[in-house]
Amino acid sequence: MLADAEKEDLAHGVPIRAASRALEVLEAINRLGSPTIMEIKEEIQLPYPTIYRIIMTLVHEEWIEQEPARKRYRPTQRVWSLVSGFQTQDLLVACARNPLVELTNEVLWPATLTARVGDRMMVKDSTHSLTSQTFAVYYPGYTLPLLDSAAGKAHLAFCSENERRIILDSAKAKVDEETELPLQIVNESGYLESIRTDGFATQARLRHNDSPGRTSAIAVPVFVAGKLEACLGLVYFSLAMSEEEAITQYVTRLKETAERIGAAAAA
């Protein structure tokens, strides 16, 4: 049975009041930057308990995150998934397209541009469809686990300390058999520091794709005006070359392409 308020909403063409309010809260957070719940309340005039429940839901679903040591909330990159189909409106994707294509034309392996969405890395663009040197075509919107992918490890190494703490705390809170080992690896002393020193991350024999164990990857960060915005990755057949050979042949070219993308986006 519908409650009276829900019946009234339906009569006025608003099917689900809770969904409308959640979107209103998310818009307010995006508009205000990193507001407190009281600041959100003043902005949209909803009851405090209602806003609190919506905030907790959005945090649980990883649309927003709480700042470390402060009761302020900010959007996560998961909101990008809402517009993953509108690539022409995404400045970074537009700036990256030609460099990605040129890189694949040169080395033949597919390149990917990914960004963090919650505890996943989402493909923003890729050149898998432009080469035969791939086992599958990965379109924008495809995601990989952050802790168990080259792009995710690169993001974790180069993101801010606050963001890194949020990611790792969230992973620890819901660790399972699938994530226990990757979490142990990234928490090893010096592991992330070595990625920052080298400027790249690797993942041997990828598990979370359509061809488990048959491909490996290298990824580097993409900075725009000094801010980490995405990661650039290259995927190659595991049997075609060793990780050391791939590093020697492709890391420098990957870094050059990432710098070119970042400079174009900044301009």
Side-chain angles (χ1 to χ4, degrees), residues 10 40 44 72 79 111 115 156 164 183 187 220 226 237 256:
L10 288 171
I40 298 171
I44 61 178
R72 292 182 172 274
V79 297
L156 194 61
R164 187 179 307 112
L183 183 58
N187 274 321
V220 299
F237 295 162
E256 292 172 350

Side-chain angles (χ1 to χ4, degrees), residues 5 10 25 32 88 96 100 103 111 113 120 132 144 156 163 167 177 200 217 223 226 240-241:
L10 288 171
V25 169
L32 296 172
T88 56
L100 289 178
L103 178 63
L113 185 74
R120 311 281 293 181
S132 60
L144 292 166
L156 194 61
E163 182 180 356
I167 294 171
E177 291 183 1
F200 66 90
F223 293 96
M241 62 181 64

Side-chain angles (χ1 to χ4, degrees), residues 127-165:
T127 57
H128 281 268
S129 63
L130 302 181
T131 177
S132 60
Q133 301 282 71
T134 183
F135 291 116
V137 176
Y138 299 101
Y139 292 102
Y142 186 86
T143 63
L144 292 166
L146 189 150
L147 297 179
D148 206 20
S149 64
K153 291 175 180 177
H155 181 96
L156 194 61
F158 288 96
C159 68
S160 69
E161 183 178 348
N162 285 344
E163 182 180 356
R164 187 179 307 112
R165 187 182 304 117

